[in-house]
Amino acid sequence: MTAHNSTSAKPALQVVDNRRAYIQMTDYELVVACQAHNKLAFEELIKRNHKAIYGMLHQIAPDWRDINDLAQEVLIRVWRSVPTLRNPHSFKTWLTHIITNLFYDELRKRPKQMTLSIDEPMTSDGSEDGVTRELPDTSRVPDEVVERHELSEAIDLAILQLPQQFRTTIVLREMQGLSYDEIATITHAERGTVKSRIARARAKIQHALQPYVGAA
């Protein structure tokens, strides 16, 4: 009786061999299965996050021509490292770290770009803490000013025109929702520098969007 109970207690994830069954699983279940080296679960998990991986790579490195190679390296790192993920519920945040860490690994191999003046400190440390203004909310833009998709395109262009360091920082903050401390760890920068970059990047973007949101 005891042997029967121990056998039935094994997770069903380890014996599933039908690809369709994985479609019904949650991301948590897929991650757990991946941690047991289940390749079918990994295929489904990557299929669900394929667009997110490419989308983030295009956001932080839009002018790089080897996005496909970077995406493949992301998959390799995920497969190799997923057994070490302690909290399967945090997979998406963990995936963001994988992508940004790869990005910075590649960035260090490439010719350095000049850092523009928007990386300089704010006028005072105290005022920096109060900088919390987000990018324009496209859902609140009146139809008579500009269509939502036009404003979104303008935001994308404004971000693209930022220097590499600030584009990456603003994407991690605004698009991925990471904290200042998380961004500081990923970008190997001081927390104050991260906040300064975000504030000045937002100011640049706001300035570029004045023709769209400034008319009142």
Side-chain angles (χ1 to χ4, degrees), residues 113-122 128 163 165-166 169 189-201 204:
Q113 298 181 353
M114 293 183 62
T115 300
L116 301 188
S117 60
I118 61 173
D119 198 21
E120 295 175 356
M122 301 290 284
E128 192 175 295
Q165 299 95 327
F166 311 113
T169 304
E190 297 292 332
R191 189 174 189 272
T193 299
V194 168
K195 296 178 73 173
S196 177
R197 288 179 179 178
I198 291 173
R200 294 183 182 278
K204 286 285 186 179

Side-chain angles (χ1 to χ4, degrees), residues 152-164:
S152 296
E153 290 178 356
I155 292 175
D156 291 341
L157 179 59
I159 293 176
L160 177 60
Q161 292 174 339
L162 291 171
Q164 184 75 71

Side-chain angles (χ1 to χ4, degrees), residues 5-179:
N5 289 340
S6 61
T7 301
S8 62
K10 291 182 179 180
L13 294 174
Q14 297 183 11
V15 297
V16 173
D17 57 3
N18 186 346
R19 290 177 181 273
R20 293 183 180 180
Y22 292 96
I23 300 177
Q24 307 299 324
M25 293 182 181
T26 65
D27 284 356
Y28 175 89
E29 292 172 327
L30 289 173
V31 171
V32 171
C34 289
Q35 291 179 327
H37 306 290
N38 188 315
K39 292 185 178 181
L40 292 180
F42 182 72
E43 290 177 7
E44 176 61 26
L45 186 65
I46 294 305
K47 183 178 179 180
R48 292 185 188 182
N49 292 276
H50 180 269
K51 289 184 178 180
I53 293 171
Y54 272 86
M56 185 173 177
L57 286 172
H58 279 294
Q59 286 173 343
I60 62 179
D63 51 348
W64 289 10
R65 298 180 180 180
D66 54 349
I67 294 295
N68 289 332
D69 292 340
L70 293 177
Q72 289 301 313
E73 180 61 25
V74 168
L75 302 188
I76 292 172
R77 292 191 180 192
V78 169
W79 176 251
R80 288 177 177 173
S81 303
V82 71
T84 66
L85 179 58
R86 295 182 178 181
N87 181 10
H89 285 296
S90 64
F91 173 76
K92 292 188 182 298
T93 299
W94 179 78
L95 177 61
T96 296
H97 282 271
I98 292 286
I99 296 172
T100 49
N101 285 338
L102 170 62
F103 168 73
Y104 272 95
D105 286 346
E106 291 295 319
L107 188 62
R108 282 189 285 271
K109 301 176 184 177
R110 301 176 186 232
K112 293 184 179 295
Q113 298 181 353
M114 293 183 62
T115 300
L116 301 188
S117 60
I118 61 173
D119 198 21
E120 295 175 356
M122 301 290 284
T123 54
S124 68
D125 293 336
S127 63
E128 192 175 295
D129 289 335
V131 179
T132 57
R133 187 175 183 182
E134 305 295 329
L135 297 181
D137 181 356
T138 58
S139 65
R140 299 182 181 179
V141 178
D143 291 338
E144 63 269 23
V145 176
V146 65
E147 296 292 337
R148 286 183 59 184
H149 75 277
E150 292 179 354
L151 181 57
S152 296
E153 290 178 356
I155 292 175
D156 291 341
L157 179 59
I159 293 176
L160 177 60
Q161 292 174 339
L162 291 171
Q164 184 75 71
Q165 299 95 327
F166 311 113
R167 182 168 68 223
T168 303
T169 304
I170 201 70
V171 166
L172 293 177
R173 178 63 175 175
E174 302 287 2
M175 311 300 183
Q176 302 300 321
L178 299 188
S179 68

